[in-house]
Amino acid sequence: MIRMARMIKIFDTTLRDGEQAPGYSMNLQEKLEMARQLERLGVDIIEAGFPVASPDDFEAVREIAGRVEHATVAGLCRAVKKDIDRTWEAVREARHPRIHIVLATSDLHLEYKLNATRAQVLATAEEMVAYAKTLCEDVEFSAEDAMRSDPAYLAEVFTAVIRAGATTVSVPDTVGYAVPEEITAMFRYLRAHVPGIEKVCLSVHCHNDLGLAVANSLAAVEAGAGQVECTVNGIGERAGNAALEAVVMAIATRKDKLDAETAIKTVEISSASKLLSTITGVAVPPNQPIVGQNAFAHEAGIHQHGMMKNPLTYQILSPESVGIRRQSSMVLGKHSGRHAFEEYLTELGYTLAPDRMNEAFERFKLLADRKKTITDRDIDALMRTRALEFPETYELLTFVVNSGSNISATACVKVRRGEEILERVAFGEGPVDAAFKAIDKIVKLGITLVSFDIHAVTEGEDALGQVTVKLQFPDGEVVTGRGLTPDIFESSIKAYLAAINKYLAEKPEEALGGASWRSGKS
Ligand code: KIV
Ligand code: ZN
């Protein structure tokens, strides 16, 4: 008889635990774009956010819940009735909604955070799960700081919440303190001491403070966990969460050892990683497992030699299995016609509606006028940046930058806003700074540049330069903007304007009133 490997559910919390980490905040459109990719990836559960955190969070969870077709959509909440009600409001339209309740169980948290006794926390957990169950069939209970909790007490809490109707109970290593042996011991203990645990899903949620999140998650899988909570690129609080791509590929590659599998479409992993990095403007470190630029690079001669004889000598999984394509055999240029372009896009895995195809072709032609050869990496970057654009309140018309060793850098930027043409000149510490100052004079929004990042998408003299900026506006909001052209000054200006346009698209009141819209000389 053939024995089936155990199916492990992948619970993605990129949009909740990941998004709450500094530098990773996303707006509604970006969250929707990411949720769409998570569906393509085939995750079982998308934790869409923490609805009570703010009206924007609530709206984002509600929108995602209304659009996701296959995955369960979870919203996180504290063990408080009104939070549970609000979370249910946010997820109820999902095809498969889940209420995810969190309550701490370690003595440290009970004493210093909750100021409650063990008996009180036990009663609250049971009561709130029972309440959530009256609203939603699928209820997950997470015991915050479980790995520093007394196992006997944790078992009591899990017994109570399962009795109250929890369908998943989760063991978070909230502060990333555990080592794999302790995880194994905890899961074995719980499975032996919690009546009814075999009827629910036992989940693990690891943080990476000691670099052990993936190892700990795998130890939990070996010891009986049926769900792993993780994030794309391992983003999350402090040192992050267990990286989805590493957990999934370890389970796939070491099926012999773990006797488990997931439903993830691994060929979507690379796209998910790149999309997240494009959205957040945070680059993936080159040595990051699975998705880092060097993850499949073989530099040492002896390794290259072995690889040529048999890839298995130095490669345990193929780049293609995670969606990294070998360089396409086709290269496009300015004489390539629409048919070749369409074929190329299809080969790269893009299927576009006719109007999007027309628009993509127009953009390709503009790029081809400026860049001799266009490869799959150029097209990927073009398509990803396009997906994240906003209505252009300010459209760049022309710019001139001037700098040298003995002169002050100056820039002149001309933009269109509706019917108006606005133009300003400014000095700066360098040409990019001067251009940003000229734009500041036009928009008068009181912007602070938080970060500026530039990198080449491909090699060569005419490589596309991708610039990502993060701008802070006076209301505290930090917005990411991207620019992608073969000219780094143009990319910088476009990135700056993209962030401004994005901010204004979400704050139409800023666009309508105030001095920022007057076009008088400054
Ligand atoms: O790390 C943690 O404990 C959490 C809970 C909210 C599940 O993220
Ligand atoms: Zn967490």
Side-chain angles (χ1 to χ4, degrees):
M1 198 177 78
I2 303 169
R3 218 163 59 81
M4 302 282 281
R6 265 185 331 124
M7 206 60 173
I8 306 299
K9 289 185 187 164
I10 295 296
F11 176 113
D12 180 275
T13 183
T14 307
L15 296 172
R16 199 278 298 168
D17 214 328
E19 205 260 349
Q20 75 193 45
Y24 289 98
S25 71
M26 299 175 221
N27 63 27
L28 178 61
Q29 189 190 330
E30 292 166 335
K31 285 182 185 173
L32 287 171
E33 195 68 36
M34 196 63 215
R36 215 168 290 142
Q37 179 58 26
L38 292 172
E39 274 248 275
R40 282 194 281 263
L41 188 58
V43 304
D44 299 279
I45 300 106
I46 297 175
E47 185 160 61
F50 194 5
V52 294
S54 73
D56 283 353
D57 283 61
F58 176 86
E59 208 42 51
V61 176
R62 212 172 60 87
E63 285 284 338
I64 292 169
R67 292 179 199 216
V68 163
E69 287 184 17
H70 305 291
T72 295
V73 177
L76 180 71
C77 58
R78 295 174 302 177
V80 175
K81 236 179 186 170
K82 69 175 188 352
D83 289 16
I84 294 172
D85 286 336
R86 184 101 175 122
T87 301
W88 175 236
E89 272 309 301
V91 297
R92 65 183 304 164
E93 294 302 327
R95 290 210 177 160
H96 309 285
R98 175 179 293 189
I99 296 177
H100 180 190
I101 298 174
V102 60
L103 183 61
T105 50
S106 69
D107 288 335
L108 200 66
H109 279 231
L110 263 57
E111 183 176 349
Y112 294 99
K113 198 178 83 175
L114 300 177
N115 197 16
T117 63
R118 284 187 177 193
Q120 285 167 330
V121 166
L122 179 72
T124 304
E126 184 166 9
E127 193 190 332
M128 289 303 110
V129 168
Y131 178 65
K133 193 73 180 182
T134 63
L135 305 171
C136 183
E137 172 49 37
D138 187 346
V139 177
E140 172 167 342
F141 176 83
S142 278
E144 194 184 8
D145 207 18
M147 284 309 299
R148 292 191 301 168
S149 302
D150 170 9
Y153 176 60
L154 185 59
E156 258 189 83
V157 174
F158 278 180
T159 305
V161 296
I162 290 172
R163 200 169 46 225
T167 39
T168 300
V169 287
S170 184
V171 180
D173 182 21
T174 303
V175 289
Y177 179 72
V179 296
E181 261 183 19
E182 290 168 313
I183 295 268
T184 306
M186 179 64 100
F187 275 73
R188 288 198 178 138
Y189 179 87
L190 292 170
R191 289 179 69 205
H193 292 87
V194 177
I197 201 160
E198 67 292 341
K199 296 203 194 81
V200 301
C201 183
L202 181 55
S203 176
V204 67
H205 176 112
C206 294
H207 279 269
N208 206 28
D209 299 66
L210 297 175
L212 293 171
V214 172
N216 283 341
S217 303
L218 297 177
V221 168
E222 258 203 300
Q227 172 177 292
V228 178
E229 305 191 0
C230 47
T231 58
V232 174
N233 295 345
I235 70 169
E237 281 283 354
R238 307 179 308 280
N241 289 64
L244 177 147
E245 59 279 2
V247 168
V248 166
M249 291 318 289
I251 291 175
T253 310
R254 297 309 311 275
K255 199 170 162 186
D256 59 321
K257 170 94 179 97
L258 295 163
D259 195 21
E261 59 189 341
T262 71
I264 295 295
K265 295 180 189 69
T266 62
V267 291
E268 291 292 338
I269 283 180
S270 174
S271 300
S273 164
K274 285 183 185 155
L275 178 66
L276 181 65
S277 161
T278 305
I279 287 175
T280 59
V282 183
V284 175
N287 62 332
Q288 174 115 343
I290 317 293
V291 290
Q293 206 184 316
N294 294 348
F296 296 96
H298 299 275
E299 193 69 31
I302 191 163
H303 288 205
Q304 289 172 347
H305 184 72
M307 285 287 293
M308 277 190 279
K309 294 252 157 132
N310 181 346
L312 292 177
T313 49
Y314 287 101
Q315 190 172 274
I316 57 166
L317 56 132
S318 72
E320 288 82 3
S321 66
V322 293
I324 299 172
R325 291 176 295 268
R326 300 219 179 275
Q327 188 90 12
S328 171
S329 49
M330 271 206 286
V331 173
L332 296 179
K334 79 179 197 186
H335 300 298
S336 306
R338 195 191 154 103
H339 184 67
F341 176 72
E342 282 193 30
E343 239 178 61
Y344 194 79
L345 278 195
T346 311
E347 193 183 310
L348 295 186
Y350 292 103
T351 8
L352 301 186
D355 57 330
R356 293 253 350 245
M357 184 60 88
N358 290 341
E359 196 206 341
F361 186 61
E362 287 306 313
R363 289 170 154 261
F364 156 71
K365 279 297 195 192
L366 287 175
L367 179 60
D369 276 342
R370 306 173 67 182
K371 192 173 187 302
K372 251 199 308 231
T373 52
I374 295 180
T375 67
D376 44 5
R377 278 197 274 160
D378 295 318
I379 297 284
D380 263 345
L382 201 68
M383 299 301 285
R384 277 203 313 277
T385 312
R386 169 68 192 100
L388 299 165
E389 276 174 9
F390 285 79
E392 277 190 302
T393 305
Y394 288 102
E395 180 197 350
L396 177 64
L397 294 179
T398 56
F399 72 92
V400 179
V401 290
N402 190 18
S403 92
S405 50
N406 289 321
I407 57 165
S408 306
T410 54
C412 175
V413 179
K414 192 195 274 190
V415 299
R416 187 202 313 275
R417 180 176 63 80
E419 300 293 299
E420 277 179 291
I421 305 292
L422 305 166
E423 185 173 17
R424 292 289 181 274
V425 177
F427 289 106
E429 293 301 323
V432 171
D433 183 47
F436 289 177
K437 289 201 163 108
I439 297 171
D440 287 341
K441 283 188 179 181
I442 294 171
V443 303
K444 297 180 189 146
L445 285 170
I447 296 164
T448 309
L449 178 67
V450 177
S451 69
F452 176 90
D453 176 77
I454 182 163
H455 78 269
V457 171
T458 47
E459 298 80 25
E461 282 169 7
D462 62 354
L464 279 178
Q466 179 163 302
V467 172
T468 306
V469 295
K470 282 188 196 279
L471 308 186
Q472 182 159 38
F473 291 83
D475 60 3
E477 185 155 346
V478 175
V479 179
T480 308
R482 299 160 204 89
L484 182 75
T485 75
D487 177 325
I488 56 170
F489 297 115
E490 186 176 341
S491 296
S492 305
I493 292 169
K494 287 201 155 166
Y496 203 80
L497 286 173
I500 292 169
N501 287 333
K502 186 161 140 188
Y503 176 76
L504 292 176
E506 287 166 5
K507 303 263 159 80
E509 67 282 9
E510 285 291 335
L512 289 173
S516 52
W517 295 100
R518 280 177 224 124
S519 59
K521 293 254 182 277
S522 51

